[in-house]
Structure formats: structure tokens, C-alpha cells
Amino acid sequence: MKYLLASAAVLAVAAPACARDITLKPVAEARLRYEHVDQDGLSKEADALTIRARAGLTATSGAISATVVGQGTLAVVDHYYDGLNGAAIRPLVADPQNIALYVAQLQYRSKAITLTAGRQKIALDDERFVGNVGFRDNAQTFDAVRAELAPIKGLKMDVAYAWSVRTIWGVDGIGARQQAVSGDNIFANLSYATPIGTMTGFAYLVDQDEAAVQAFRLSSQTYGVRLAGGRALSKTMKIGYQLSYARQSDYHANPNAYDADYWLADATLEMKGWKLNGGYEVLGASDGLPFTSFQTPLGTNFKFQGWADKFLTTPGNGVRDLYVGGSYGWKQMGPLVGVALGASWHRFDADRLNQHYGNEIDILASAKVRKAMLSIRYAHYDASALATNTDKLWLQADWAI
């Protein structure tokens, strides 16, 4: 019923466009990835060779379009724990086999407004709080209605209501790793482009009250502000920066009464092929009940706090991440285009206690060959007070028409 009502709303706005000619655009994507994980404390290593394919079609008539995309993930080598099947004697690789409807949406787009209804991707700002989790094979989408408005130059309003989160665990997801989590989720952004960058105020109301996920107590309300901008220092040098603060507290049926803060300060310097980056991110712990901290269950968390994935769920005492990194890029090397080599280092500490969790080193090499993106990625987590030593290696090829 919600799909029908949402679709009807978009169609009502877009009906005048339906009389125009229809253009069709195919959607085709493929990914081949090998992931190896060696984790202390587990008797076996993980080796996962997966193939992920997506195919679909976008039909457009004037300002209205309809998109349907299906996806499937096949484990060619399945010597890993996928989070759903078998005993966890091997490390987790969160790419279970799957076949599902990935996107099924109607959209109306004009200069001042975009309305989208149905199963869709939603990625807000840097995806810290709401994202697509695109690194995982099955990714994350939302059954939602979304309105993006640009009433005047520089001002943008973005509001979405999502009644279901389609998780990375696919159609076989069960228990705490369900295929979908139902709830009344509201995402709201109001941004304005200023001379020093885009200023955004946001509110994210996350409803995760289902019994299977309630044990994690992830229902929350988060309100904050973010500044993202940059400027040229010379003809060959420029700087980019991000500053963000948010306050999170319990919401809906979350039994923990808590308040926790989020902070981010990040800067990137670009010059003659080099990129140097550094920052400090804090997901704070509450001053109240123990083991209550700032959580981001709908974010693309792989992008943050190291690729070893030790902090997908924030520890009860919070986490502070001090990081530095750098990369160098070449426009072309033979048949390779957009070649880049980079590395970063993280130091993780508790927010509530004087406790050092561990350090991590991440390394990435990537390049494009025609329509294929190739990458080699490595992560090493050196544990101190949290988790165990872990090494991860990825070899990946992505292709899209």
C-alpha cells in the first residue's frame, strides 16, 4: 500500500509529462572481488571470491522516470563466514549470496524539485549517518518517499521518509541481520551555499524498534550541523575542509536514556598530484548509563575509522579516531587511466576512558581501464585494548556501462 500511495503521488505531479516520447536507458553493472581475512582468535582464515551483477532499465518521459534494477551475488569461493550461514570459525565477510530487487522507483525531476518514491538509494552528505554502503556487494537501499527542493539559488531542502531499510544481508537475512528493518525513519537536510562552503543543518530520526534488532538499542534521534568547503591557495594548490557536530539521544522504544556527541574536523591539501589528509573524529560516549554511545546504523561506516571494520558498531565507551594520510595520482600510465596510490594511518582511543583501542594502516592502489575500475586494498589492524589483530586484502574489478 505504501508503494502504491507513494507512486501515485509522484505520478499525479508528473502526469503532464507522460504524453511525451519515452526514452530507455539500460542499467548494467558487474563486480568481481576477492577478499582475504586473517584474524587472530579464529582457527581458520577467510577467502571469498564473489561476483555481483546488476541489471535493469530506466524509462524516461519528460520530467518523469521509472527505474527497476535487480541484483544477484554469487560466492564462487565461499571459504568465509557470511554472517548468516554456518559456524563463525572463519572471519566475517559481509557478502552473502543474494538475489533481490535492488531499485524500483518512480521519479519526477524539474529545476526546483525532485520527488522520488519506491525502493531507492539515499546517500546524504558524506554518508556518515545515511548511506548506500556501496562497498558491500548487496549494498543498502530504502523503501521511501523523498523530496529534494531548490527554491532559490544556493538553498536546498531534502526530506525523506523511509518505512523499510533494505540491508546488506540480502533475502536470506535473519535475526539481528535481517533482510529488511521496518520503522518510521525520517531524514531531513537544509543546506545553503555560503562563500566559505556549504552549511547544512540535519535531523535524522532512526526507528529500529523491531524485536530482532532491539537488543542493539539503535533507535535514535540525531541533530547537527556540517560545513564542507574549500578554496584555492594558488594555481597548483587548494585546500578542502569539513567541520561537523551532532547530538544524539534515545528515540522510540530505545530503553537507554542517553545523550552523546559527534565531532569531526578534517582537512585535505591538494598540490601537483599529491593529496594530504588529516582529521579527528569523535563518536562520543554518554555521561549516563554505561555502554551507551553515538551510533550510526544507517551510515556507510566502511568509509570511516578504518577498513578493518572494527568500529561498525561504536564501542560503549565511544571512539576517538586521529588519522593522517596521503596519496599521489597519475593521469595515465600506459593503458591505465586515473592511477592513484594512497595510504592512511589511524589511532583509535576510547572517549570515556583513558584507553587505547589500537592502530590501523590502510593502503589502496586503483586505476581505470576503459570501463573497468581496478583496485587493490589492504588493511592491518594492530589491537591493543579492543578486538584482535586483523589483516584484510581485497582485489576488485568493477564495470558499468
Side-chain angles (χ1 to χ4, degrees):
M1 180 60 72
K2 289 183 177 180
Y3 270 122
L4 293 174
L5 292 175
S7 301
V10 174
L11 287 170
V13 175
C18 294
R20 303 182 184 180
D21 293 338
I22 296 176
T23 59
L24 302 177
K25 181 180 180 181
V27 177
E29 302 175 15
R31 169 185 289 173
L32 175 66
R33 178 161 68 205
Y34 169 71
E35 181 171 345
H36 173 80
V37 186
D38 181 2
Q39 182 175 319
D40 285 2
L42 294 177
S43 59
K44 295 180 179 291
E45 299 177 358
D47 290 287
L49 179 61
T50 59
I51 298 174
R52 197 276 315 281
R54 292 179 182 148
L57 190 68
T58 295
T60 303
S61 178
I64 190 171
S65 66
T67 301
V68 176
V69 180
Q71 71 174 5
T73 299
L74 174 66
V76 180
V77 176
D78 61 354
H79 300 157
Y80 66 99
Y81 176 54
D82 67 6
L84 303 175
N85 305 294
I89 60 174
R90 297 181 187 270
L92 173 67
V93 176
D95 291 326
Q97 295 194 110
N98 179 47
I99 184 167
L101 184 62
Y102 180 58
V103 171
Q105 69 175 43
L106 286 173
Q107 186 175 83
Y108 171 80
R109 181 185 294 272
S110 70
K111 184 176 180 180
I113 185 171
T114 299
L115 302 175
T116 310
R119 187 163 300 171
Q120 58 189 280
K121 295 185 289 185
I122 300 179
L124 301 178
D125 297 322
D126 60 355
E127 300 189 59
R128 191 49 171 122
F129 302 110
V130 180
N132 179 234
V133 197
F135 181 76
R136 299 274 42 123
D137 282 346
N138 298 318
Q140 174 176 268
T141 55
F142 300 84
D143 293 340
V145 289
R146 182 182 182 188
E148 300 168 78
L149 297 88
I152 60 174
K153 183 179 179 180
L155 180 66
K156 182 179 178 181
M157 294 177 281
D158 189 332
V159 180
Y161 166 68
W163 58 87
S164 181
V165 181
R166 314 300 298 193
T167 75
I168 65 171
W169 303 110
V171 293
D172 294 327
I174 57 174
R177 293 170 173 153
Q178 296 182 75
Q179 63 169 310
V181 180
S182 299
D184 298 315
N185 302 279
I186 298 175
F187 316 133
N189 271 17
L190 178 63
S191 63
Y192 186 72
T194 75
I196 60 172
T198 300
M199 181 71 71
T200 304
F202 55 83
Y204 303 130
L205 309 183
V206 176
D207 177 2
Q208 301 240 323
D209 289 344
E210 286 195 11
V213 296
Q214 177 66 353
F216 293 95
R217 302 177 176 185
L218 296 177
S219 292
S220 65
Q221 50 186 327
T222 302
Y223 305 92
V225 63
R226 165 184 166 85
L227 173 66
R231 62 173 48 215
L233 302 179
S234 68
K235 291 183 178 179
T236 60
M237 185 182 302
K238 63 180 180 179
I239 188 171
Y241 43 83
Q242 303 177 65
L243 298 170
S244 186
Y245 169 77
R247 183 75 166 173
Q248 184 179 94
S249 60
D250 53 287
Y251 184 62
H252 267 229
N254 191 329
N256 284 344
Y258 77 100
D259 293 284
D261 293 320
Y262 171 86
W263 301 86
L264 171 69
D266 178 279
T268 300
L269 180 66
E270 298 183 38
M271 53 182 180
K272 296 182 178 180
W274 285 97
K275 286 186 180 181
L276 304 176
N277 173 253
Y280 190 58
E281 184 183 44
V282 179
L283 279 75
S286 173
D287 293 331
L289 293 172
F291 310 116
T292 307
S293 54
F294 199 107
Q295 302 291 337
T296 59
L298 302 184
T300 300
N301 294 343
F302 178 83
K303 293 176 59 178
F304 304 88
Q305 299 180 337
W307 300 331
D309 281 349
K310 299 302 180 181
F311 301 93
L312 296 181
T313 299
T314 308
N317 288 315
V319 58
R320 299 185 177 210
D321 176 16
L322 174 66
Y323 58 90
V324 293
S327 67
Y328 186 80
W330 297 263
K331 290 184 178 180
Q332 189 163 0
M333 295 178 64
L336 304 178
V337 178
V339 180
L341 177 63
S344 61
W345 173 85
H346 298 257
R347 177 187 169 92
F348 302 110
D349 296 287
D351 178 54
R352 188 198 305 265
L353 303 176
N354 183 20
Q355 188 179 51
H356 177 51
Y357 290 146
N359 299 325
E360 181 168 329
I361 296 175
D362 298 323
I363 301 172
L364 173 66
S366 64
K368 191 172 183 180
V369 180
R370 296 184 180 179
K371 294 185 177 182
M373 176 62 72
L374 310 177
S375 64
I376 302 174
R377 194 184 300 257
Y378 171 75
H380 170 71
Y381 178 75
D382 184 12
S384 180
L386 184 138
T388 57
N389 294 343
T390 300
D391 290 278
K392 293 190 177 186
L393 173 69
W394 298 266
L395 306 176
Q396 182 170 322
D398 289 281
W399 174 89
I401 61 172

